[in-house]
Amino acid sequence: MGRLALPIMITVIGEALVDIIVDAHGEVTSVVGGGPLNTARTVARLGVESSFLGGVSTDPFGQRIMRLLEQDGVRLGLGDQVPEPTTLAIAQIDESGAATYRFMLDGTSAATVTPEMALAHVDATTQAIHAGTLALVMQPLADALVAVVAAATDDQLVMIDPNCRPSVDRRPLLRSSLDAVTDRADIVKVSGDDLEYLFPGVSPLVAAQGMAADTDSVVLFTDGSNGVHVMTSGRRAPAVDVVIDVPRVPVVDTVGAGDSFSGGFLAYWLHNGLGRPDLEDADRLVAAARYGIAVAGVTCQRPGADPPRAHEVPGGWQ
């Protein structure tokens, strides 16, 4: 029996796209990407069942995306592909390996998912929902994402990653979508870049602390090589404010690093049979974040978004 006959444990809603990568010397390659797609693939590669609830085109790029989903064992949540052309991102890599992006979004495959389509295809067996990234600023996909999160049951874990893109400056829609989903979120993963965009003029650390204080969510602030901050408000259990060091690795590029961190965190959580009540356990939160860091560290050592399999993660499931 194949993987796709097993229960879906994690549903990831958002965009699939193709990254056109331009390195510091002007050489061009392309890889399949999109933050949510990267997260879904990470989860599946780590051996946890996942479904990608997003639009994938019938064009050649879309067929390429489908081949990767099939190779990694990720179920296409909608069941069928869509006729619109594949969403594209132009990723410019600098000398340090960091990426900046420009996007071709409107009228493309990622934006086509409606609330009705999404709600009709959420698998009832899913134990966790991951949502975010460009899906927060594309319509009708943004409404679909909000609807799926709002429909989450009391037993389903919800993780949000805004993964803000300043080059797609649609702040009113982003604020509206993000406010709607963070009301239900159990975990919010944010980077320093996200926090600087969302809270201009406020230091990222202060902004992350404020986000944790204002919500019941676990805030995972990934501060690049400076570490990962795990924060909670203390409303339901003693407050957590822990900084986890990030091991130094030879970085090829950072494409997909944050996505694989999120996928690693969620995969660890479900692999160990943990649920929403366990978010009050600080030791478990730190262990899951450490695993996510290890997963992201492997991804950074490879070009493009190429997350590891479970046997490639240093330290395993410890």
Side-chain angles (χ1 to χ4, degrees):
M1 181 178 295
R3 288 170 60 98
L4 298 185
L6 297 174
I8 296 299
M9 299 180 73
I10 297 176
T11 293
V12 182
I13 180 169
E15 75 277 2
L17 51 78
V18 168
D19 285 313
I20 309 299
I21 300 175
V22 185
D23 71 15
H25 305 290
E27 298 297 327
V28 178
T29 56
S30 66
V31 296
V32 171
L37 185 77
N38 295 339
T39 299
R41 292 181 61 215
T42 300
V43 168
R45 285 189 175 193
L46 294 172
V48 177
E49 299 303 313
S50 72
S51 171
F52 174 68
L53 189 59
V56 177
S57 178
T58 54
D59 69 14
F61 276 146
Q63 299 302 341
R64 181 179 174 185
I65 291 170
M66 285 302 303
R67 288 194 295 272
L68 282 184
L69 291 178
E70 291 163 2
Q71 290 168 14
D72 289 336
V74 179
R75 179 182 294 178
L76 181 62
L78 294 180
D80 297 317
Q81 293 166 255
V82 300
E84 289 78 6
T86 297
T87 306
L88 299 179
I90 313 298
Q92 177 68 59
I93 310 300
D94 66 19
E95 294 288 354
S96 70
T100 56
Y101 294 85
R102 291 180 292 121
F103 298 91
M104 299 175 64
L105 305 178
D106 295 331
T108 64
S109 56
T112 61
V113 180
T114 66
E116 293 76 17
M117 291 167 64
L119 290 171
H121 290 89
V122 176
D123 196 296
T125 66
T126 198
Q127 294 168 265
I129 295 167
H130 180 282
T133 316
L134 288 170
L136 293 164
V137 295
M138 286 190 286
Q139 289 289 30
L141 180 56
D143 287 343
L145 183 152
V146 169
V148 167
V149 170
T153 68
D154 289 343
D155 294 330
Q156 291 173 332
L157 187 74
V158 174
M159 183 173 187
I160 303 299
D161 179 3
N163 202 357
C164 302
R165 303 298 188 187
S167 58
V168 186
D169 194 9
R170 301 176 178 180
R171 290 173 188 263
L173 179 56
L174 173 62
R175 285 289 185 186
S176 174
S177 302
L178 194 56
D179 287 347
V181 294
T182 52
D183 282 345
R184 171 57 179 83
D186 298 297
I187 306 163
V188 180
K189 179 263 176 190
V190 285
S191 68
D193 289 342
D194 294 333
L195 292 165
E196 288 176 357
Y197 182 75
L198 292 169
F199 304 99
V202 180
S203 79
L205 180 58
V206 171
Q209 291 169 335
M211 182 177 286
D214 292 341
T215 70
D216 283 331
S217 304
V218 175
V219 173
L220 303 175
F221 167 30
T222 56
D223 193 16
S225 61
N226 295 321
V228 172
H229 299 253
V230 181
M231 304 173 176
T232 65
S233 67
R235 293 185 185 183
R236 291 177 292 180
V240 176
D241 192 349
V242 177
V243 183
I244 307 171
D245 290 335
V246 174
R248 301 291 179 179
V249 298
V251 175
V252 174
D253 65 49
T254 60
V255 176
D259 311 321
S260 61
F261 170 83
S262 297
F265 184 99
L266 281 178
Y268 178 96
W269 207 256
L270 270 66
H271 174 84
N272 286 285
L274 304 173
R276 293 184 74 194
D278 300 297
L279 293 171
E280 297 180 6
D281 187 328
D283 291 338
R284 290 291 199 180
L285 290 173
V286 170
R290 288 190 189 281
Y291 187 76
I293 290 169
V295 172
V298 177
T299 304
C300 286
Q301 297 176 64
R302 301 170 169 178
D306 185 13
R309 273 76 178 177
H311 71 272
E312 298 176 296
V313 180
W317 292 106
Q318 297 178 11

